[in-house]
Amino acid sequence: MKAVHLVLHGVDLESDTFFELCKIDLKAVSPGTTRVIPPKEVYKHVLTFDEQDQARLEYVANRIVGLASEVGQRVMSDRSHNTTSNPYDNALRLLAANESDFRKAEEIRYVEYHRGHGRMWDGYYLTTPVPLDKDVDLTDFVQKLRAHFNNDKLVVRRQKRQRHSDHHALVTVLQFIIYREGLPVSFEVLDEEGKDVILETIHPAREYAVTYEPETGVIELYADQKAIRDVLKQTFCEAVLDQEDSPEKLKLRPVNLEIFRQRPNFEDSFELKFGIKEAVVKEIDTQVSPGQGITVYKATPRKAFRSDAYQNLDDNGVSLEDSRKYKIRSVTLAFHCEATDDLPEETIVVRLSAPNSCSLRDLSQRERYLNHDLLVQMGVLLEDKDKDNEATSV
């Protein structure tokens, strides 16, 4: 019930709407509006509900929490939904007002959250981009996917939107979300009369995605298995883009962690823009040789933002300059941002891991600046020298 707890304590408005969405009588929660009693008391009442009511509440709460996340709020803002400073209120209002719009925002969040991260994502590009419109005929695409999965129960949802490119320009993105019936899962349940145990089988839906940028020819594929991403790539190229040749693989930018063997001087060496005032190395994950395991050096918890991992290193008499003894596996940075006319006060945490993992997702002006300017200038993210002639990764 963690999600329910988050929603009840997160909303500024009364949570009546939350219970109404779950078809639960408010009288079971509060005498009148839920504002009459504090969230803690409301939650106590929730814990007395039967399993079915609790399951409905948790399902809806998980959807609200997902769209209340930072990625979800960026999506809502980009889709021009009226938002307040409270992300839970924003998500709850949208779900109550228009479930279809909420679902579209969820689908975009799914794509943007996993974008550029290898376990769920692969990226490719066409050397010659193919023009394409959102209303393209998908009949052949759907038929081939149904044949591959040997299942007629498959749905494709599509939408057209915009996002920022590596060079901060807006590009058109065609997004195709594929839902298919998954493998059967069986449960032992009580029959309707509650007198016997029976076996009930369901086929949970599986979700995949394909996005395509007609201007750049970039194709991105989202699925939890590499083999399925390969199927989506081949089928989309053949059935939708009418391309027989396989597209080129997007190159992932190498991450250079050697710069962090000493404390980098962000303020003097690099320009901090968009209200970014301070940058601190909060954590360094090292492999110690020979055979001495992994040691993580973290900033000592202090009130001052400037407390960093290097203070911990100094306190332990450790120097990372010996590259034969210490291999840096990952680094966590924290960028403290003051509020500006257009941007809020916030702290952006960035995790960098060798050989090519960066947690930035390009969801804000600041993130794009860090991802494609500051960390590139520092020599942490290594851009391809021929990037003007071929596509690079996100």
Side-chain angles (χ1 to χ4, degrees), residues 34 41-42 59 82 84-85 104 139 178 194 209 235 253 296 300 325 333 341 343 361 364 373:
T34 50
E41 292 299 318
V42 176
Y59 169 73
N82 294 326
T84 68
S85 60
K104 289 179 180 178
T139 303
I178 300 103
T235 308
R253 294 177 300 175
V296 179
T300 303
K325 183 175 181 180
L333 307 175
D341 292 340
L343 300 169
R361 301 181 190 276
S364 70
D373 291 307

Side-chain angles (χ1 to χ4, degrees), residues 13-289:
L13 301 175
E14 67 277 353
S15 52
D16 296 14
T17 305
F18 174 49
F19 292 100
E20 290 167 358
L21 284 171
C22 299
K23 297 180 172 56
I24 292 177
D25 188 353
L26 283 173
K27 293 179 181 178
V29 182
S30 172
T33 174
T34 50
R35 262 293 180 230
V36 174
I37 58 177
K40 184 177 180 180
E41 292 299 318
V42 176
Y43 186 68
K44 285 183 179 179
H45 287 294
V46 168
L47 294 179
T48 67
F49 292 175
D50 62 37
E51 292 181 354
Q52 288 187 340
D53 285 345
Q54 288 191 13
R56 285 203 302 274
L57 285 168
E58 187 71 359
Y59 169 73
V60 173
N62 274 310
R63 296 185 71 188
I64 292 170
V65 169
L67 214 57
S69 66
E70 182 180 359
V71 179
Q73 291 300 289
R74 302 283 189 197
V75 171
M76 288 187 65
S77 178
D78 289 346
R79 290 181 60 79
S80 301
H81 292 297
N82 294 326
T83 57
T84 68
S85 60
N86 187 311
Y88 294 97
D89 282 345
N90 297 334
L92 181 57
R93 278 199 186 101
L94 180 59
L95 181 57
N98 193 320
E99 202 278 339
S100 177
D101 279 354
F102 190 94
R103 169 75 71 176
K104 289 179 180 178
E106 282 182 310
E107 291 173 345
I108 297 174
R109 177 191 174 275
Y110 167 79
V111 167
E112 295 300 328
Y113 180 80
H114 292 292
R115 189 173 184 234
H117 296 264
R119 293 186 179 181
M120 288 284 294
W121 172 92
D122 278 324
Y124 297 86
Y125 69 97
L126 301 175
T127 53
T128 303
V130 175
L132 195 68
D133 188 77
K134 179 175 77 75
D135 298 322
V136 61
D137 185 359
L138 296 178
T139 303
D140 191 28
F141 179 61
V142 172
Q143 288 179 346
K144 287 184 175 180
L145 288 180
R146 285 174 175 167
H148 173 80
F149 293 119
N150 194 27
N151 194 327
D152 287 338
K153 293 184 178 181
L154 185 143
V155 175
V156 177
R157 301 179 188 268
R158 64 179 101 189
Q159 56 179 306
K160 182 178 181 179
R161 59 188 178 89
Q162 290 186 317
R163 69 177 168 213
H164 287 85
S165 70
D166 291 357
H167 304 289
H168 312 294
L170 284 173
V171 295
T172 298
V173 178
L174 303 181
Q175 176 176 295
F176 305 91
I177 301 290
I178 300 103
Y179 296 96
R180 76 171 180 92
E181 186 179 67
L183 295 174
V185 179
S186 298
F187 301 90
E188 286 187 337
V189 299
L190 292 176
D191 62 16
E192 292 184 1
E193 297 180 356
K195 295 180 179 180
D196 197 5
V197 176
I198 60 175
L199 193 66
E200 185 173 295
T201 302
I202 64 171
H203 295 259
R206 305 298 300 273
E207 182 178 6
Y208 314 124
V210 178
T211 64
Y212 177 65
E213 298 176 6
E215 300 166 36
T216 64
V218 171
I219 305 165
E220 297 178 60
L221 311 150
Y222 303 80
D224 57 355
Q225 297 178 38
K226 171 67 174 173
I228 293 178
R229 296 197 296 271
D230 288 342
V231 169
L232 293 174
K233 176 193 68 172
Q234 180 178 350
T235 308
F236 186 78
C237 288
E238 293 177 356
V240 180
L241 299 177
D242 195 24
Q243 297 290 301
E244 294 183 358
D245 295 334
S246 182
E248 299 290 330
K249 180 82 172 176
L250 278 176
K251 291 186 176 180
L252 292 172
R253 294 177 300 175
V255 174
N256 173 29
L257 299 179
E258 293 301 301
I259 191 174
F260 297 107
R261 292 195 178 277
Q262 296 180 332
R263 180 186 282 114
N265 189 329
F266 292 95
E267 288 81 357
D268 293 342
S269 302
F270 309 101
E271 184 179 8
L272 300 180
K273 298 180 178 179
F274 307 117
I276 302 173
K277 290 300 181 182
E278 295 178 290
V280 176
V281 179
K282 304 299 284 186
E283 185 175 305
I284 303 176
D285 185 320
T286 64
Q287 174 79 53
V288 186
S289 299

